[in-house]
């Protein structure tokens, strides 16, 4: 099926567009996938790194509280709480220790949770004397020997990490030693982080973060009970605890998530972007109930993916264009090849046809030549036959005329006999005048006989058939002369109507005379029995033809006779009288001259035969016998 051009173009464009779109989509997805996988690996690596450094930082202080149990002053203080010197010593000791370690505070509680010595004993808001038994780190230490707790100080609202250890003698718990570590100290380990990182505590509250504003926000919504508990333990010292605004978009393997961070606030200053799409990866911090979360920025992956997608789209488009061009070129070549083949085929076909036609033509030519030869032969035969017929017709006419001719010759012969006899006698009588008269008469008769025989001879003579200008009137006179005897016998009259100017026809005189004799003979036959038969002969001319008509006053032609007039051997005459060849031969002769002979009835009665023969160009030429 041949699709229309614009439709094909539209389909092709649509196809290519789909291809480019598919390639772009696949590239984007793969690139995204690769990017995320790489980012994930990097994130895991960062997680490990940050967790390790944080752990190391915390571990630095882990044994601090328990080592206080080795301090004699501290033990003495716990034993004897009221001793003033001991208290001062311990306070001083703790103060120095705190300064050296760079911690926030170091203090010792008795077994009821009351602070009995503290590094900050000099300050007005010193912990000394405070009952901190409600703090979980106290309870944990009493119950399990150690406690860890993140909280905001109730006295100075200073957030910190509390590490506690129970101080025991052999039998019982004497008290609890506590070190409060500043978050800044812990966060020091993150000075080199390249992406936002945070630590959420067991309640989902951000306690450490590389982004200062994220601190004391919540990772998940807090229910009322939890909030109440916070009020009780004063863990966050009644801070507002706003949600961080992390929205999870997708979950990946190994606990990784794609999240969106709410738009950063105006006043937030950070070395790396803190809003947008991130890959969040979390990991619990060993030895704590905390979770470390690293946020890797997805924007970069997206940017790379977009660039790769654009490259893929451009490449695919170029490939498509090249493909289309190659295809077009191929089709063009194919078309050209097909056209060439078609041309070759057409050429072959043409050549084959030409050969066929040539063969046909030569066959036809041969056949034509054969036919022409055959026709020439037939024509020759026909002409010979016609000549024979003409000759036969002449002989027939001569036969018919022979009785009359015999009579015509007998009379002068008898007269000659008498005249010659008389001439001898007149010579004997020496009547020379009469004898001379008789001899003259004899001479005239001989001349007359010579004319008759001469005409017969001329009539019977086989003519050459070559046409020449013939005086038609003269031809009529000769014909009439030939029939003179018969005309006289039958008391017939010939009425001739000729124009003044002689008419020359291009034909053969003898043959024309033969035709005229024939027509007059037939006219006389038709009027047989009439007392005064009359034949009217008229002649005229057109531009190219001489016309001659022979009219009688007989019974005319019946329809049957008229239709068969020129059939050879058609006759209505008695046997021996007519051969039925006269008109057939006459028509043949006239046709030979390039003319026509027609027979019909005159409106006034009787038959009329009209012949037309070409006019001779040379009208001055005289007729030849
Ligand atoms: P034929 O005279 O030997 O019969 P033709 O060929 O000359 O042969 O004439 C054929 C026939 O045509 C005649 O037999 C006659 O019946 C008819 N025919 C010819 N001329 C005339 C005429 N002038 N009037 C009537 N009939 C004619």
């Amino acid at each position: 099926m041949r699709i229309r051009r614009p439709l094909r173009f539209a389909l092709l464009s649509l196809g290519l567009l789909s291809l480019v779109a598919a390639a772009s989509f696949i590239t984007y997805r793969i690139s995204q996938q690769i990017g995320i996988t790489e980012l994930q690996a990097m994130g895991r690596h960062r997680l490990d790194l940050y967790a390790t450094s944080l752990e190391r930082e915390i571990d630095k202080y882990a044994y601090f509280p328990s080592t206080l149990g080795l301090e004699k002053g501290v033990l003495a203080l716990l034993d004897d709480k009221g001793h003033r010197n001991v208290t001062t010593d311990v306070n001083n000791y703790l103060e120095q220790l705190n300064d050296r370690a760079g911690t926030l505070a170091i203090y010792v509680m008795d077994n009821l949770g009351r602070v009995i010595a503290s590094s900050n004993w000099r300050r007005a808001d010193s912990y000394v004397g405070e009952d901190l038994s409600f703090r979980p780190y106290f309870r944990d230490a009493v119950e399990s020997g150690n406690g860890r707790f993140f909280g905001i100080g109730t006295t100075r609202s200073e957030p910190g990490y509390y590490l506690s250890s129970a101080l025991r003698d052999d039998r019982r718990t004497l008290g609890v030693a506590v070190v409060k570590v500043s978050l800044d100290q812990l966060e020091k380990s993150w000075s080199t982080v390249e992406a936002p990182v945070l630590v959420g505590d067991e309640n989902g509250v951000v306690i450490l973060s590389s982004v200062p504003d994220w601190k004391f926000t919540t990772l998940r919504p807090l229910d009322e009970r939890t909030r109440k508990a916070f009020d009780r333990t004063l863990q966050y010292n009644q801070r507002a605890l706003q949600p961080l605004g992390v929205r999870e978009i997708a979950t990946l393997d190994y606990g990784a998530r794609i999240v969106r961070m709410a738009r950063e606030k105006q006043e937030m200053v950070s070395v790396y972007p803190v809003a947008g799409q991130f890959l969040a990866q979390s990991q619990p911090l060993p030895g704590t109930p905390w979770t470390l979360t690293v946020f890797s920025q997805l924007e970069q992956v997206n940017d790379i993916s977009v660039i790769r997608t654009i490259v893929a789209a451009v490449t695919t488009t170029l490939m498509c264009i090249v493909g289309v061009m190659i295809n077009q070129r191929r089709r063009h070549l194919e078309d050209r090849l097909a056209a060439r083949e078609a041309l070759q085929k057409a050429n072959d076909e043409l050549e084959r046809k030409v050969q066929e036609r040539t063969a046909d033509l030569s066959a036809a030519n041969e056949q034509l030549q054969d036919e022409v030869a055959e026709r020439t032969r037939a024509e020759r035969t026909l002409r010979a036959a016609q000549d024979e017929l003409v000759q036969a017709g002449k002989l027939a006419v001569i036969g018919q005329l022979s009785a009359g001719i015999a009579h015509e010759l007998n009379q002068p012969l008898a007269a000659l006999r008498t005249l010659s006899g008389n001439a001898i006698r007149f010579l004997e009588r020496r009547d020379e005048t009469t004898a001379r008269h008789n001899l003259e008469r004899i001479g005239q008769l001989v001349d007359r006989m010579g004319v008759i025989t001469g005409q017969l001879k001329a009539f019977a003579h086989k003519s050459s058939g070559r046409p020449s200008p013939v005086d038609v009137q003269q031809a009529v006179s000769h014909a009439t002369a030939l029939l003179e005897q018969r005309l006289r016998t039958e008391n017939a009259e010939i009425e001739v109507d000729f124009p003044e100017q002689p008419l020359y026809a291009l034909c053969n005189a003898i043959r024309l005379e033969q035709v005229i004799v024939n027509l007059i003979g037939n006219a006389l036959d038709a009027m047989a029995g009439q007392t005064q038969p009359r034949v009217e002969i008229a002649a005229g001319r057109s531009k190219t033809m001489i016309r001659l008509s022979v009219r009688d006053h007989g019974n005319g032609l019946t329809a049957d006779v008229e239709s068969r007039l020129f059939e050879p051997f058609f006759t209505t005459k008695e046997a021996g009288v007519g051969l039925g060849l006269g008109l057939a031969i006459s028509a043949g002769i006239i046709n030979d001259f390039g003319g026509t002979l027609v027979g019909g009835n005159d409106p006034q009665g009787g038959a009329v035969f009209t012949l037309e023969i070409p006019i001779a160009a040379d009208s001055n030429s005289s007729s030849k016998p």
Side-chain angles (χ1 to χ4, degrees):
M1 186 181 72
R2 200 110 176 120
I3 307 175
R4 278 187 303 129
R5 221 179 144 78
L7 185 65
R8 226 183 65 192
F9 181 71
L11 283 175
L12 188 71
S13 307
L14 204 72
L16 294 183
L17 220 64
S18 314
L19 196 68
V20 172
S24 309
F25 179 72
I26 291 167
T27 309
Y28 183 78
R29 289 307 295 263
I30 291 173
S31 176
Q32 190 83 330
Q33 203 66 46
I34 292 170
I36 288 175
T37 309
E38 282 171 6
L39 210 62
Q40 246 178 310
M42 201 195 295
R44 272 200 300 277
H45 176 68
R46 279 177 184 160
L47 262 183
D48 286 344
L49 202 70
Y50 302 159
T52 313
S53 56
L54 187 62
E55 255 177 73
R56 207 179 300 134
E57 200 62 34
I58 292 170
D59 282 350
K60 250 173 40 184
Y61 306 100
Y63 299 103
F64 242 81
S66 55
T67 49
L68 288 181
L70 302 173
E71 185 56 46
K72 282 197 184 88
V74 174
L75 291 174
L77 183 67
L78 288 170
D79 259 354
D80 180 12
K81 294 152 205 158
H83 200 282
R84 192 174 161 76
N85 286 344
V86 175
T87 307
T88 309
D89 284 349
V90 171
N91 273 340
N92 276 325
Y93 171 69
L94 293 179
E95 189 178 25
Q96 282 169 16
L97 199 61
N98 186 50
D99 281 349
R100 201 157 314 151
T103 49
L104 280 182
I106 303 175
Y107 49 100
V108 178
M109 289 183 279
D110 64 12
N111 55 4
L112 295 173
R114 214 164 44 87
V115 178
I116 52 171
S118 174
S119 58
N120 55 9
W121 63 283
R122 285 182 210 275
R123 288 181 10 197
D125 54 357
S126 157
Y127 298 161
V128 179
E130 265 187 56
D131 179 5
L132 296 177
S133 58
F134 62 92
R135 288 289 207 181
Y137 58 82
F138 172 74
R139 282 203 310 273
D140 289 347
V142 170
E143 282 165 18
S144 64
N146 283 308
R148 288 187 176 194
F149 175 73
F150 167 78
I152 297 174
T154 45
T155 326
R156 295 176 62 190
S157 291
E158 203 170 27
Y161 188 48
Y162 298 83
L163 298 131
S164 62
S165 269
L167 304 175
R168 302 165 183 263
D169 65 2
D170 300 336
R171 289 166 289 121
R172 60 190 182 101
T173 299
L174 303 171
V176 172
V178 181
V179 175
K180 183 180 178 183
V181 182
S182 142
L183 296 187
D184 296 342
Q185 279 171 312
L186 296 183
E187 280 168 358
K188 264 187 217 154
S189 65
W190 291 343
S191 57
T192 55
V193 296
E194 300 145 328
V197 54
L198 61 80
V199 173
D201 68 2
E202 65 276 24
N203 300 313
V205 176
V206 179
I207 52 169
L208 291 178
S209 174
S210 61
V211 183
D213 288 87
W214 287 3
K215 254 183 255 177
F216 303 107
T217 57
T218 57
L219 294 172
R220 49 177 189 265
L222 298 175
D223 58 23
E224 240 355 85
R225 246 183 55 205
T226 321
R227 280 189 186 275
K228 285 255 171 67
F230 293 164
D231 292 345
R232 217 174 34 247
T233 58
L234 294 176
Q235 187 171 357
Y236 306 104
N237 206 13
Q238 287 164 345
R239 289 224 180 183
L241 302 182
Q242 295 294 336
L244 175 60
V246 186
R247 192 156 55 81
E248 196 169 300
I249 295 173
T251 316
L252 310 173
D253 15 328
Y254 305 113
R257 296 154 347 260
I258 292 177
V259 296
R260 176 172 284 285
M261 303 290 267
R263 270 163 60 80
E264 58 192 300
K265 291 182 205 112
Q266 289 278 308
E267 65 275 12
M268 265 166 76
V269 184
S270 168
V271 284
Y272 29 70
V274 292
Q277 268 197 15
F278 289 91
L279 177 77
Q281 284 164 292
S282 303
Q283 155 175 326
L285 277 173
T288 68
W290 302 346
T291 309
L292 178 71
T293 305
V294 171
F295 293 89
S296 309
Q297 214 205 346
L298 264 179
E299 225 93 310
Q300 258 180 354
V301 173
N302 285 345
D303 287 354
I304 291 171
S305 299
V306 166
I307 289 168
R308 284 184 185 158
T309 304
I310 290 168
V311 169
V314 169
T315 311
T316 315
T317 308
L318 282 175
M319 272 162 65
C320 284
I321 289 170
V322 169
V324 166
M325 277 166 68
I326 288 172
N327 191 38
Q328 268 186 349
R329 173 114 186 98
R330 186 182 57 76
R331 284 212 349 228
H332 179 66
L333 282 176
E334 267 177 16
D335 283 356
R336 267 178 59 177
L337 215 66
R340 195 181 298 166
E341 268 175 24
L343 205 70
Q344 185 63 42
K345 229 163 123 180
N347 197 29
D348 290 351
E349 180 69 7
L350 206 69
E351 234 165 64
R352 194 183 58 74
K353 276 190 179 160
V354 165
Q355 275 173 2
E356 254 179 37
R357 289 278 152 85
T358 314
D360 285 356
L361 261 178
S362 54
N365 196 25
E366 274 172 25
Q367 199 177 339
L368 205 71
Q369 273 177 359
D370 286 354
E371 274 175 17
V372 165
E374 184 66 28
R375 208 166 165 153
T376 315
R377 263 199 307 280
E379 265 179 13
R380 219 174 284 140
T381 314
L382 196 71
R383 191 166 290 280
Q386 211 175 31
D387 287 351
E388 287 308 314
L389 266 177
V390 169
Q391 196 58 20
K394 277 188 206 168
L395 294 177
V397 171
I398 290 167
Q400 280 176 350
L401 296 174
S402 59
I405 292 163
H407 177 70
E408 191 75 3
L409 291 178
N410 268 345
Q411 258 192 338
L413 278 174
L416 280 176
R417 184 76 198 95
T418 317
L419 284 171
S420 62
N422 288 348
I424 293 167
R425 246 171 275 139
F426 285 132
L427 281 175
E428 281 169 359
R429 283 184 214 158
R430 301 220 181 255
D431 185 356
E432 280 184 21
T433 317
T434 313
R436 183 183 301 272
H437 178 75
N438 274 13
L439 285 172
E440 277 173 4
R441 184 86 178 103
I442 285 168
Q444 282 171 357
L445 284 172
V446 169
D447 282 352
R448 185 173 150 72
M449 284 164 70
V451 168
I452 292 169
T453 50
Q455 277 179 351
L456 266 179
K457 196 177 150 203
F459 184 70
H461 181 259
K462 266 192 174 178
S463 70
S464 71
R466 211 181 59 217
S468 57
V470 172
D471 184 340
V472 179
Q473 195 165 6
Q474 211 167 37
V476 171
S477 304
H478 285 160
T480 319
L482 276 171
L483 289 162
E484 199 185 334
Q485 160 68 21
R486 188 176 171 187
L487 293 169
R488 218 176 320 121
T489 320
E490 292 177 14
N491 194 29
E493 191 189 333
I494 306 254
E495 205 178 283
V496 184
D497 178 16
F498 269 85
E500 267 180 39
Q501 281 283 321
L503 301 170
Y504 287 100
L506 193 64
C507 61
N508 180 290
I510 304 296
R511 290 196 164 193
L512 180 60
E513 281 164 26
Q514 184 182 347
V515 172
I516 297 167
V517 166
N518 214 335
L519 293 178
I520 297 173
N522 276 349
L524 293 175
D525 284 346
M527 295 184 292
Q530 289 187 8
T531 46
Q532 223 177 2
R534 187 157 50 91
V535 181
E536 290 163 21
I537 298 177
R541 55 171 286 184
S542 72
K543 210 167 174 195
T544 55
M545 303 297 260
I546 302 286
R547 196 185 59 256
L548 185 76
S549 62
V550 179
R551 188 211 159 176
D552 61 55
H553 294 271
N555 293 329
L557 309 169
T558 63
D560 176 48
V561 171
E562 195 176 340
S563 69
R564 302 181 62 192
L565 272 180
F566 300 102
E567 267 180 34
F569 301 106
F570 170 73
T571 180
T572 54
K573 293 168 192 170
E574 288 168 25
V577 179
L579 276 173
L581 280 174
L583 285 179
I585 291 169
S586 300
I589 290 168
I590 301 298
N591 278 346
D592 267 1
F593 295 160
T596 52
L597 174 62
V598 290
N601 288 313
D602 191 277
Q604 253 102 64
V608 57
F609 283 82
T610 307
L611 59 86
E612 281 192 338
I613 31 181
I615 200 163
D618 182 7
S619 54
N620 292 328
S621 307
S622 57
S623 74
K624 286 172 191 147

